Amino acid sequence: MRTLRRYLWREIASATLFVLLSLVGIFALFDLINQLGDLGRANYQFGHALAFVALLIPAHAYELMPIAALIGTIYALSKLAANSEFTIMRVSGMTTRRLADAVLWVGLGLVALAYLFGEVIAPPAEDLAQRFRSRAIGVAIGQEFRSGVWVRDLVRGRDGQPDRTRFVNVAAVNPDGTVYNWRIFEFDPELRLRSLSTAASGTYESGHGWLLADVVDTQLPPVQAQGTSAASLPPGIQEGTRVVREPLRLWQSDLTPAIFGVLMVQPERQSAYSLYHYINHLSENHQRTDRYEIALWKKLFYPLVCLVMMALALPFAYLHVRAGTVSLKIFTGIMIGVLFYAMNKLFSHLGLINTWPPVVVAGLPALVVLTFALGALYWVERR
């Protein structure tokens, strides 16, 4: 029985690896075609396009691994059934439970590989790809609005309670981490505007804050209540608006380049660690976290989909050759994979619109497919 398990492991693993490489190659070709339109722009040459496409390969491998597991397992089991090898295995004592156990061990290896790609390799590779391409083209990265990107930042006092509220607007983020065209609106606890600061650029000094250049700080006086004279105000705040200009200023804030880094990599392609810290930042600033929570739960669940897909492939081993050729079974597997991918995307958008619990949005598609897989396996075994 150990020999049969090893034989199954080798057949399924080799087929899955072949399918994964094929799918990644197809997606890499599409990426390269998309980059051809930017050739000749600034310093962007064909070599830059190849490097950019190569850096996106880990992200594609992570996304396509469950589909490759489905198609590869279907191909391996269908080939065994077509050659009557699976029949001999069953006669030799290979029960459905033992078959599922053998496939499970291969699936656990794929799950570990998916977590490695999704958490360790793909996020920094894609971040590097975006920086590399933007540097070659000579453009800044990501603007969510015409005015740039807006971030809320709370300033807490010694007691840990919010003391001031700042709204930070930046126009562009360069690949080297330099942030351009800052506007910082600072409000007091009563949400009255107290100061407006602008800066031409800013670079992050680790452990110290942001070093802003060409700072213009406009400080506004407190709003006086009706019937209150300027002489009755406390000393030090009777003056009017003040404008302070500084060539350099060290600005303290909880904002880090990682916060602005969300502009370069889509939430679904960030690591769970980065998503977790960004969600905490949004929560502390009382901002919506739905999209990022869904992305976080999908990052946790998605590698486990490899097991679900391989379970879905098990019934194909019990279908006789006359029930469909190997190519037809593979085509069926491709259609199932595309359907799951579309359903996964659809649930993400529906959950975001209807504010469904993120864990439900991330886990329900896989649960539906697993239920269908177990039902199909029970049906073919009882035939």
Side-chain angles (χ1 to χ4, degrees), residues 171-202:
V173 182
N174 261 23
D176 60 358
T178 304
V179 183
Y180 289 96
N181 297 332
W182 292 70
R183 288 192 298 170
I184 305 171
F185 301 85
E186 186 170 305
F187 295 81
D188 61 18
E190 286 74 31
L191 295 181
R192 294 175 297 196
L193 182 63
R194 297 305 307 273
S195 68
L196 167 61
S197 303
T198 62
S201 64

Side-chain angles (χ1 to χ4, degrees), residues 73-84:
T73 306
I74 289 177
Y75 173 75
L77 296 180
S78 299
K79 188 177 69 172
L80 293 176
N83 297 332
S84 300

Side-chain angles (χ1 to χ4, degrees), residues 21-244:
L21 292 176
S22 301
L23 292 176
V24 169
I26 293 173
F27 274 74
L29 178 61
F30 289 155
D31 287 339
L32 183 60
I33 293 174
N34 289 333
Q35 295 303 309
L36 295 180
D38 291 329
L39 294 183
R41 184 179 175 185
N43 296 321
Y44 198 61
Q45 304 300 325
F46 187 72
H48 297 103
L50 287 178
F52 174 76
V53 171
L55 288 171
L56 292 183
I57 287 178
H60 289 317
Y62 169 76
E63 293 176 343
L64 295 170
M65 204 166 293
I67 299 177
L70 172 65
I71 300 174
T73 306
I74 289 177
Y75 173 75
L77 296 180
S78 299
K79 188 177 69 172
L80 293 176
N83 297 332
S84 300
E85 294 179 79
F86 185 67
T87 303
I88 298 174
M89 289 181 181
R90 295 189 68 186
V91 173
S92 302
M94 177 67 73
T95 62
T96 301
R97 182 174 180 178
R98 289 178 175 177
L99 174 64
D101 182 67
V103 173
L104 175 64
W105 281 104
V106 180
L108 290 177
L110 291 176
V111 169
L113 190 63
Y115 275 118
L116 177 64
F117 272 87
E119 296 299 315
V120 180
I121 302 177
E126 179 153 351
D127 179 72
L128 179 60
Q130 299 297 341
R131 293 178 185 273
F132 177 79
R133 180 179 181 276
S134 299
R135 187 181 295 112
I137 294 179
V139 298
I141 299 174
Q143 294 184 356
E144 295 183 0
F145 304 100
R146 290 183 179 180
S147 58
V149 179
W150 291 85
V151 183
R152 184 182 181 185
D153 183 33
L154 289 180
V155 181
R156 300 184 183 276
R158 294 182 179 180
D159 57 356
Q161 298 300 319
D163 183 37
R164 288 166 292 162
T165 302
R166 292 186 294 212
F167 292 92
V168 182
N169 169 233
V170 297
V173 182
N174 261 23
D176 60 358
T178 304
V179 183
Y180 289 96
N181 297 332
W182 292 70
R183 288 192 298 170
I184 305 171
F185 301 85
E186 186 170 305
F187 295 81
D188 61 18
E190 286 74 31
L191 295 181
R192 294 175 297 196
L193 182 63
R194 297 305 307 273
S195 68
L196 167 61
S197 303
T198 62
S201 64
T203 56
Y204 187 71
E205 302 289 334
S206 180
H208 300 284
W210 291 90
L211 186 62
L212 303 181
D214 298 330
V215 179
V216 179
D217 185 14
T218 304
Q219 300 177 2
L220 305 178
V223 178
Q224 301 180 24
Q226 292 185 356
T228 303
S229 63
S232 64
L233 292 175
I237 62 173
Q238 298 179 15
E239 66 275 5
T241 301
R242 292 193 309 166
V243 178
V244 179

